[in-house]
Structures are given as structure tokens and as C-alpha cells.
Amino acid sequence: MTDRITMVKPDDWHLHVRDGEMLRSVMGFTARHFGRAIIMPNLVPPVTTIAHGLAYRSRVLAAVPEGSDFQPLMTCYLTDETDADEVARGFAEGVFTAVKLYPVGATTNSAHGVTDFEKIRPVLARMEKIGMRLLIHGEEAADASVDVFDREAVFIEKRLEPMTRDYPGLRMVLEHLSSKIGVDYVRAKAPQLGGTITPYHMELNRNHMLASGIRPYFYCMPILKREGDRMAVAQAAISGEACFFLGTDSAPHPVAAKLAVCGCAGLFNAPVAIETYAKLFDEAGALDKLEAFAALNGPAHYGLAPNAGTITLERADWIAPEEVAIPGPEQRAIVYRGGETIQWRVVAG
Ligand code: DOR
Ligand code: ZN
């Protein structure tokens, strides 16, 4: 049995750190173990311009604990009005690593998302030309007749398939894969398409959320699906295939927003993220594939070098904190697997 692994320092290719006190309270959990993270732009208001991106990056960097060389990779929130020149300039100047596409209404703070896919054509064409990545929340949400459990499949058929044909040179990421259909589609379209996988879509199905009491902390978008979907997602992650890589989608919310009459989607997993992936790979007998998933496949999809440093994990029990205190009115954010025994611990890096 392997009790200790050292690997290239991982990156998180999908992360929400919010702003203000929440940002200051959560940033350290990612910065302590990850070399880089793609920072999601769904603030209120969203990060839609170079000026917003620069200002937000400064606030993120200010929240990174001293001594850490963590690097935030910023993204631009795509709207119907996004200007291709602004996006291209942001990319050329190193402000934006990628553009994020939220279909309107698909998830938290997606109210400014894309309503008309015709309008974003000039931006996508320019991104294809300059080699900029498009990150996709792949769910069809505007049409209320689409069942919430089918949103990923419908988006792939209706939106993504035409995009892969119209922009063959555009490198895309289908984020937070949640279904067998999604996993199979990424596989079929690699390397044009890559896919990120969260720890909780590997670990949970919808029964965990609904079958023995309703667990609002497991509510996320894309929503947890059937056991067959979970198995396909977990299998993809541990396969080591180059098109699948780590993206936690850690998405902290104040406890009151999670437990409201209309609660919001998102799981805060940064405090236990790399340890949870290690546990899941270990249980599947695939610890030897963790480095590819966590540290190599992502940079390759982005055309970046892997991190120079390493990280070491050891098999050792510790108890995850149940919550993280947030100064001010937001009070606290509940931690994924909080209170549980976490079987792996980062001991160096
Ligand atoms: O569950 C989710 N929460 N899914 C997303 O796509 C967004 C995220 C958030 O921002 O809270
Ligand atoms: Zn997200």
C-alpha cells in the first residue's frame, strides 16, 4: 500500500474565491497547496473588462498569504455585449487567461450570461484566432422546459456541438462534468475539448442529496446525477486521459444563502480538495494517475508548463473543520466533508 506520494504541484482549473471578507477568508486554503488557479468571474457585478480583471487580480493577490507563490489566472465573463477587441487585448496583456461562458440563468450570478449565441460569434472567432481558451458552464438553462437533470446533455447537443464545428481551432473546457454523456462527449472531441472534474461529482450522486433528508449543502450546478453518471465521471478522472483534469469548483456561500427558502448552488471544498482527490484515487487503486489529473493534463490543455515545485501527501487522519468563519454579516461558510475524517494530509509543498 502506498502511504506517501510526491508529485508536481497541482493547479485548480476552476475556482470561486468571491470578494471582500469571503475572499480574504478562503483564499489561503487554495494558495497553500496549489500553484495556480483559474479564478471565476461571476462576481456581482461580473468581471467583464480589463479594468475589472486587473482590479480583481490585485484583490485576490492581496488575499494570498505571505510567502506563497500562488498565481491567480483571471477570466473574463462573457456577455451578449462583450467586445472582441477588449478580450484580445486582455489576453495579449496577460490579464485574462480565458473567457467564461455562462448561459443566462444557469447558476449563481449568471444573470448577465449569454442570452443570444449569435451575438458572441465575433468573440469566439477572435479567440480561435489568438489561441485563447473558452471555459463553458455547459447547461441549457434558458428553456424552462428542459429538465434540470438533462441540462448538460441538451447544452451539448444544442450549443456545444455546433460550436465545435464552427470553431475547430477554438480550445474549450467543458467544466464540472456531471454526466456520462458529458464525459463521453469530451473524450470524443479531445483535444479540442477538455473537461474539469470536481471532487463532489466524483463522490456523490443525487441520492446523497435527496434520499435520506434533503441536504442543501450538496446542491450545486450542474446538479448531482444518477449513480451511473457519477461512476462515469469518477472513472474519467482516474483514467489519466489527457482531456480530464482537476477543477474543484469550490464555491463558498454564506450559510444563510445556502439555507434560504431559495438556496443557492455551490459547495465549498477548498479546505479538503487535494486530500479528497487523493482519497478517491487511492480507493480506486489509481494513485499513480493523480499527478496527470492534478498537475499535468491541465497545463497541457492550456499550453502552459507544469509547476516547477512539488507537493507531498501522506496517509494520515485529520478532521476537516465544519465551517470557516467569515468576519462581518456573512458569518460562516460550511465546508464540504466538514467534521469527517480526511485520510490524506499534505505534508510538504
Ligand atoms: O454550484 C455552483 N456554484 N455552480 C456554479 O457553476 C457556480 C457556483 C457558484 O458561483 O456558487
Ligand atoms: Zn463554478
Side-chain angles (χ1 to χ4, degrees):
M1 188 160 56
T2 309
D3 289 324
R4 185 183 168 95
I5 53 167
T6 295
M7 61 182 193
V8 171
K9 194 169 223 199
D11 300 302
D12 186 347
W13 297 101
H14 184 143
L15 177 69
H16 301 265
V17 288
R18 316 301 189 197
D19 214 340
E21 291 294 356
M22 182 70 91
L23 167 62
R24 285 188 282 278
S25 304
V26 305
M27 190 65 252
F29 292 108
T30 298
R32 66 186 178 178
H33 300 324
F34 290 86
R36 296 165 288 195
I38 283 278
I39 306 293
M40 286 294 134
N42 60 334
L43 305 182
V44 186
V47 178
T48 53
T49 64
I50 295 172
H52 288 159
L54 277 171
Y56 187 35
R57 181 165 67 186
S58 306
R59 299 197 298 278
V60 170
L61 282 170
V64 171
E66 226 165 286
S68 164
D69 56 5
F70 172 81
Q71 202 192 339
L73 305 176
M74 310 310 290
T75 56
C76 179
Y77 185 117
L78 184 60
T79 73
D80 288 357
E81 275 75 50
T82 299
D83 175 22
D85 289 339
E86 178 84 0
V87 164
R89 194 160 65 82
F91 185 59
E93 292 177 3
V95 180
F96 292 130
T97 297
V99 167
K100 173 69 187 253
L101 188 173
Y102 289 102
V104 71
T107 188
T108 306
N109 301 339
S110 61
H112 299 276
V114 172
T115 70
D116 182 348
F117 280 70
E118 285 303 306
K119 291 198 174 143
I120 61 171
R121 294 187 72 95
V123 179
L124 301 190
R126 181 72 73 86
M127 291 172 65
E128 179 182 33
K129 214 162 155 187
I130 63 179
M132 190 177 188
R133 274 52 178 163
L134 178 70
L135 314 182
I136 303 172
H137 184 111
E139 291 198 286
E140 186 65 26
D143 178 354
S145 71
V146 175
D147 190 280
V148 69
F149 291 97
D150 296 333
R151 281 180 174 180
E152 190 166 280
V154 175
F155 182 91
I156 288 169
E157 189 188 327
K158 191 169 162 195
R159 310 288 185 188
L160 192 50
E161 175 60 21
M163 280 163 66
T164 60
R165 273 191 268 113
D166 291 354
Y167 311 97
L170 179 63
R171 283 278 195 124
M172 298 179 263
V173 180
L174 185 56
E175 305 196 285
H176 37 53
L177 291 169
S178 69
S179 65
K180 180 167 188 319
I181 288 175
V183 163
D184 289 345
Y185 190 75
V186 168
R187 224 175 235 136
K189 293 289 174 166
Q192 181 187 12
L193 192 58
T196 55
I197 295 178
T198 74
Y200 52 89
H201 286 105
M202 284 180 75
E203 200 166 26
L204 304 176
N205 64 37
R206 63 196 199 185
N207 273 16
H208 292 106
M209 178 174 58
L210 298 170
S212 53
I214 183 161
R215 292 171 199 267
Y217 286 106
F218 289 167
Y219 177 64
C220 59
M221 286 297 169
I223 201 151
L224 299 170
K225 301 201 167 55
R226 290 176 176 277
E227 175 59 9
D229 294 303
R230 184 203 67 75
M231 279 168 53
V233 170
Q235 204 54 49
I238 64 161
S239 71
E241 287 167 83
C243 55
F244 301 114
F245 41 95
L246 187 157
T248 63
D249 202 5
S250 181
H253 289 281
V255 63
K258 285 295 292 177
L259 295 184
V261 170
C262 181
C264 58
L267 273 79
F268 175 38
N269 61 55
V272 297
I274 192 65
E275 298 88 343
T276 299
Y277 286 114
K279 172 199 130 161
L280 296 168
F281 276 65
D282 182 27
E283 285 170 356
L287 268 179
D288 60 321
K289 300 289 194 334
L290 182 61
E291 183 179 55
F293 175 76
L296 305 179
N297 296 348
H301 187 78
Y302 279 79
L304 299 171
N307 291 311
T310 62
I311 184 176
T312 300
L313 290 120
E314 252 178 32
R315 189 187 302 280
D317 287 353
W318 57 286
I319 308 284
E322 288 188 13
E323 57 188 47
V324 167
I326 317 294
E330 300 199 323
Q331 294 181 343
R332 59 203 169 100
I334 302 295
V335 175
Y336 180 57
R337 301 187 67 208
E340 281 182 33
T341 300
I342 308 298
Q343 295 89 338
W344 286 83
R345 181 195 282 283
V346 178
V347 292

